[in-house]
Amino acid sequence: QRRNSFRSHLAQDSAAGPWTTTPPRSVMVIKCSDCAFTEFRVYPGRGRRYIQKDGKSFFFGNSKAENLFHLGRKAAKLRWTPIWRRMHKKGGADVAKKTRTRRAQKFQKAIVGMSLEEIRQRKAKKPELRQKAAAEKEQKEKAKKGAAKAAAGKSAAKPKAQPQKEKVAAKVKPSKKR
């Protein structure tokens, strides 16, 4: 009966609206420490402190964490520790923190021999005109190559002089000095 009366009292307060008749309850602040191995929260009255010979102190939440620490295990290699989860990007907190990258804006500069206006005019030309210009350029290059081949063919028709044989120099022995 006592529980029911307490619940009915809560129901009456919530019906009136949140915090209309009674002030909000103050939340008790509890100073918690973190486990040195697992990084889990350790409440007062729990855990065990270990102090090394050099003066470093470690606070462990339970015997499992303490024993693993003394065995030399790495918390980052144990899948149940928050350190492992952070390293392997598990959990929703890391996913939401994606940074936005700025794209570089395109910027047109003049080239040596062409002004910026000329470049814009060439870009504005239709693709068909560009293809025609490219085809004309190719024809000119072929014509130049054909003329060069013809000139090379004429020079090749002339008989070449036979190469002269090299003269072999006689070996001269050095004279002895007296």
Side-chain angles (χ1 to χ4, degrees):
Q1 284 184 348
R2 191 170 186 189
R3 281 187 179 169
N4 290 339
S5 65
F6 179 71
R7 284 184 181 159
S8 64
H9 175 69
L10 286 176
Q12 288 172 359
D13 285 348
S14 63
W19 319 117
T20 52
T21 54
T22 56
R25 293 180 188 160
S26 61
V27 179
M28 187 172 144
V29 178
I30 300 171
K31 187 180 179 191
C32 297
S33 54
D34 292 338
C35 176
F37 187 77
T38 61
E39 294 183 359
F40 288 137
R41 189 179 300 138
V42 182
Y43 289 94
R46 303 277 177 178
R48 194 186 260 189
R49 184 171 301 280
Y50 170 71
I51 301 172
Q52 287 181 335
K53 289 179 182 178
D54 62 352
K56 287 183 186 175
S57 67
F58 300 94
F59 195 76
F60 301 108
N62 54 18
S63 61
K64 176 182 178 180
E66 188 177 0
N67 290 334
L68 288 169
F69 175 81
H70 290 305
L71 286 169
R73 304 290 188 262
K74 303 287 183 215
K77 291 186 176 181
L78 299 171
R79 296 187 71 163
W80 53 270
T81 58
I83 303 162
W84 185 91
R85 293 182 65 80
R86 252 197 323 274
M87 284 181 65
H88 293 84
K89 297 180 181 173
K90 307 293 180 191
D94 295 333
V95 175
K97 293 182 180 178
K98 287 187 177 178
T99 56
R100 292 177 63 190
T101 56
R102 291 184 65 191
R103 289 184 180 171
Q105 292 180 339
K106 291 183 179 179
F107 185 74
Q108 189 78 43
K109 288 187 176 180
I111 304 170
V112 176
M114 290 182 75
S115 67
L116 191 59
E117 294 170 7
E118 291 176 23
I119 294 170
R120 287 182 183 156
Q121 286 175 358
R122 285 200 178 185
K123 278 189 174 181
K125 281 186 182 178
K126 292 182 181 177
E128 299 165 3
L129 296 174
R130 275 195 237 140
Q131 287 175 354
K132 279 184 183 179
E136 289 174 8
K137 196 173 186 180
E138 285 178 21
Q139 287 177 356
K140 287 180 183 178
E141 287 177 7
K142 285 180 182 178
K144 285 182 183 178
K145 285 182 182 177
K149 283 183 181 178
K154 288 179 184 177
S155 63
K158 294 179 182 177
K160 292 184 179 177
Q162 291 182 353
Q164 295 178 355
K165 291 183 181 178
E166 294 179 16
K167 295 180 181 178
V168 179
K171 291 185 179 177
V172 179
K173 290 183 180 179
S175 61
K176 293 182 181 178
K177 291 184 180 179
R178 293 183 192 174

